[in-house]
Amino acid sequence: MRSAGNLWTRKHLLGMAGLAPEEIDTLLDTAVSLREVNRRDIKKVPTLRGKTVINLFYENSTRTRTSFELAGKRMSADVVNMSVASSSVKKGETLLDTLANLQAMNPDVVVIRHPESGVLEFLANNLDAALVNAGDGRHEHPTQGLLDLLTIQDHLPLLGQKSFAGLVVAICGDVLHSRVARSNAIGLKTLGATVRFVGPATLMPAQAAEAFGVTVHHRLEEGLAGAQVVMMLRLQNERMNSSYLPSVREYAAFWGLNRARLKLADPNAIVMHPGPINRGVEIASEVADDPERSVILEQVANGLAVRMAVLYLLCGAGVRR
Amino acid sequence: MPPTFEDKLLLSSPDTLALIDTLAARLCAGGGEADNWVVIGIRRGGALVAQRLWERLSQRLVQRIPIGFLDITFYRDDLDTIGPNPVVGATDLRMDIDDKRIILVDDVLFSGRTIRAAMNALFDYGRPERVDLLVLVDRGGRQLPIQPDHVGLVVQPEEGEFIKLLDTGEEMHVVRRKIRE
């Protein structure tokens, strides 16, 4: 173990921003221990017995919600899912009122996904429960960032790296709308990696280089050159028919990762994608399904372990507050 | 300022190893086929004792017996009452434990809560035929109905004293530790 001990002292997990390298290490070390639980015949530990986790999702999500639900259940917590379609939000209740009602049921952790960037900070100031950001607008998606870090960490030896320091990671595609890109860039920079944002100018945040300490590339070939980790981002359906792109076909032609383009990257480079993937748009099936390169399904498995670790540390296993 | 402490040597490094050797000898002399024995150490101190015990048993026995390690952090009953919890180590049980005779090893037996947690963890992996508890030091003070089957040394600590197995990487020894405020 690299870290000196359990250094988790936070009440909430709102984002990767502000996490110290030691805090990220504590989270990843805990997740590594929890992976063992997921490989057993009996995939359950009694750790969070009597704890209540509420999944509150204001945006559709199957995989993240399922991952959090399973994470809670494997730790023996009681998990309740609330989705916007079936809740009183549709009846006009405000966000804070909804949360206050949940609060009255005394949950230990509330996992929230919401389309507004930064809404978690507001809620954290107004509620007692521990909050986990499961994606807020274009802002952050910290558990995705952590599961990506864990997946990359597993592959560091094969990439010829002792640590994240100096690792070259290319984050490619629709960076502008991607909270995954932001959480990853912040976490990777914290651990010392070199990060490239690669994408068309219309899908790149303004002043990305200054804001994130990354280099910005507007040609995929240039961004991929020598990269050890290639992280493709999902082109969201709602962007496909907007003024951001001339057409999906053109995007696929210029920005799709295929085997020929992947040859430009490091010979051992791994390919990641937060899912769900658009086959033939941002990533070709020949790459997505290549067992030598694609670690997409490892990301999903690591997501479960990371979310178990987050719930464990927020439910009281961290340093006393 | 962090609390300081004073250590008094209870078992030197050679004494500790000799005691583990004695325990191994007693296990072998206890009779019974060793065909289905499995040594399982509780992290972290118990794992060190288990490793040494297993080496000794392997020298004495014809059969090759497996060794595993158990991390009980996720089975503790004190998530809300103490903190910070240690960083979790990995459980490493690659063998089938169904119908096995488990020799469960810990360094110091005190309240019995660790053993309670270890048994819960163990039974998530299978249904052993029998579980023996082997401890290097029994310091009394049980809070649960748990008793060891094999004990290296029984000690009665003074008020406010802890018994600790210290491992420097090269050697291990046991001390009486008194915390000073």
Side-chain angles (χ1 to χ4, degrees):
Chain A
M1 301 262 161
R2 295 146 300 153
S3 54
N6 182 340
L7 296 166
W8 191 260
T9 58
R10 289 170 192 271
K11 182 178 179 186
H12 309 292
L13 179 67
L14 304 182
M16 295 297 289
L19 292 187
E22 296 77 21
E23 291 177 299
I24 296 176
D25 283 347
T26 296
L27 269 163
L28 297 185
D29 287 345
T30 308
V32 166
S33 302
L34 282 161
R35 281 202 289 216
E36 187 271 332
V37 174
N38 294 326
R39 289 195 287 259
R40 297 184 196 173
D41 287 342
I42 298 177
K43 299 174 188 60
K44 204 175 184 84
V45 287
T47 320
L48 300 184
R49 220 158 34 117
K51 305 285 184 187
T52 306
V53 176
I54 296 181
N55 283 333
L56 184 63
F57 278 64
Y58 284 86
E59 276 183 352
N60 287 331
S61 160
T62 309
R63 63 182 64 210
T64 305
R65 188 187 53 71
T66 308
S67 185
F68 269 109
E69 181 178 359
L70 210 47
K73 287 181 172 172
R74 290 206 173 158
M75 304 287 282
S76 301
D78 295 309
V79 184
V80 181
N81 291 316
M82 291 188 60
S83 62
V84 65
S86 58
S87 76
S88 51
V89 179
K90 281 269 159 77
K91 298 174 187 167
E93 192 174 55
T94 68
L95 179 60
L96 199 52
D97 280 338
T98 304
L99 268 289
N101 277 279
L102 293 181
Q103 183 78 44
M105 297 181 235
N106 205 13
D108 297 280
V109 179
V110 181
V111 178
I112 302 177
R113 168 166 288 191
H114 198 279
E116 291 295 324
S117 306
V119 77
L120 271 281
E121 271 81 1
F122 164 71
L123 294 173
N125 292 332
N126 288 284
L127 293 164
D128 293 332
L131 302 183
V132 180
N133 185 353
D136 61 334
R138 301 177 187 184
H139 179 226
E140 280 230 44
H141 189 357
T143 57
Q144 178 74 42
L146 288 164
L147 74 89
D148 288 337
L149 290 177
L150 180 57
T151 308
I152 296 170
Q153 181 176 276
D154 289 341
H155 287 270
L156 285 178
L158 289 170
L159 294 169
Q161 293 277 142
K162 284 200 181 67
S163 71
F164 282 87
L167 181 80
V168 180
V169 182
I171 301 178
C172 312
D174 180 4
V175 179
L176 178 63
H177 299 99
S178 177
R179 52 196 175 210
V180 176
R182 281 170 183 72
S183 286
N184 265 299
I186 294 165
L188 285 163
K189 291 297 291 179
T190 302
L191 297 182
T194 302
V195 180
R196 300 174 182 168
F197 277 175
V198 188
T202 49
L203 293 173
M204 188 61 66
Q207 295 177 312
E210 294 81 355
F212 294 95
V214 301
T215 53
V216 173
H217 306 263
H218 293 307
R219 277 190 64 231
L220 184 58
E221 288 77 5
E222 176 192 312
L224 288 176
Q228 292 163 289
V229 175
V230 180
M231 194 178 286
M232 300 308 296
L233 300 171
R234 176 179 164 74
L235 182 67
Q236 288 162 16
N237 291 324
E238 55 270 35
R239 321 282 175 230
M240 291 185 186
N241 300 312
S242 66
S243 57
Y244 293 108
L245 323 161
S247 72
V248 175
R249 214 168 80 178
E250 191 196 287
Y251 183 84
F254 282 96
W255 296 97
L257 183 67
N258 55 28
R259 201 171 272 159
R261 287 199 173 118
L262 187 55
K263 285 205 172 82
L264 299 169
D266 183 280
N268 295 314
I270 55 170
V271 176
M272 309 177 74
H273 192 296
I277 63 176
N278 292 309
R279 285 176 183 273
V281 182
E282 70 266 3
I283 189 165
S285 288
E286 62 185 15
V287 175
D289 301 332
D290 182 351
E292 298 288 310
R293 295 309 191 81
S294 167
V295 297
I296 294 171
L297 296 178
E298 289 172 41
Q299 290 174 268
V300 178
N302 284 334
L304 184 54
V306 156
R307 287 168 184 129
M308 288 165 81
V310 168
L311 294 179
Y312 171 66
L313 291 170
L314 293 186
C315 273
V319 180
R320 291 299 98 180
R321 300 178 282 270
Chain B
M1 213 179 91
T4 56
F5 52 81
E6 186 186 284
D7 285 348
K8 269 189 261 173
L9 194 65
L10 180 64
L11 288 170
S12 68
S13 179
D15 287 349
T16 305
L17 296 180
L19 197 53
I20 298 175
D21 296 351
T22 310
L23 285 165
R26 265 193 254 156
L27 268 176
C28 293
E33 293 294 321
D35 291 344
N36 67 342
W37 290 12
V38 177
V39 175
I40 294 179
I42 302 172
R43 289 198 197 275
R44 292 167 49 212
L48 302 168
V49 177
Q51 182 70 38
R52 173 77 183 185
L53 181 82
W54 176 78
E55 285 163 14
R56 284 307 190 206
L57 287 174
S58 299
Q59 286 166 3
R60 288 171 175 277
L61 296 168
V62 195
Q63 301 91 333
R64 279 186 58 83
I65 57 172
I67 180 168
F69 302 99
L70 210 51
D71 187 286
I72 57 130
T73 312
F74 298 126
Y75 292 84
R76 289 165 70 137
D77 59 7
D78 51 6
L79 186 63
D80 285 319
T81 53
I82 64 143
N85 279 345
V87 166
V88 185
T91 290
D92 182 7
L93 285 182
R94 289 168 202 201
M95 71 295 288
D96 180 12
I97 63 162
D98 283 344
D99 302 320
K100 295 293 192 300
R101 177 183 172 188
I102 308 292
I103 299 156
L104 187 63
V105 182
D106 206 1
D107 51 352
V108 180
L109 180 59
F110 182 18
S111 67
R113 286 174 193 270
T114 300
I115 306 302
R116 197 279 310 163
M119 300 238 282
N120 281 16
L122 202 54
F123 278 75
D124 278 356
Y125 289 89
R127 185 179 184 279
E129 177 200 87
R130 165 179 168 181
V131 181
D132 280 12
L133 176 59
L134 181 148
V135 297
L136 189 62
V137 180
D138 179 358
R139 55 143 296 162
R142 220 77 77 237
Q143 295 164 354
L144 295 173
I146 282 170
Q147 299 307 332
D149 301 286
H150 312 278
V151 187
L153 182 70
V154 178
V155 292
Q156 293 230 306
E158 290 169 25
E159 182 80 22
E161 222 176 37
F162 294 90
I163 310 295
K164 268 195 88 68
L165 177 79
L166 298 180
D167 169 46
T168 60
E170 280 158 22
E171 55 161 54
M172 50 181 171
H173 53 273
V174 182
V175 297
R176 295 167 172 268
R177 172 166 290 183
K178 205 156 201 171
I179 310 281
R180 299 182 178 282
E181 291 307 323

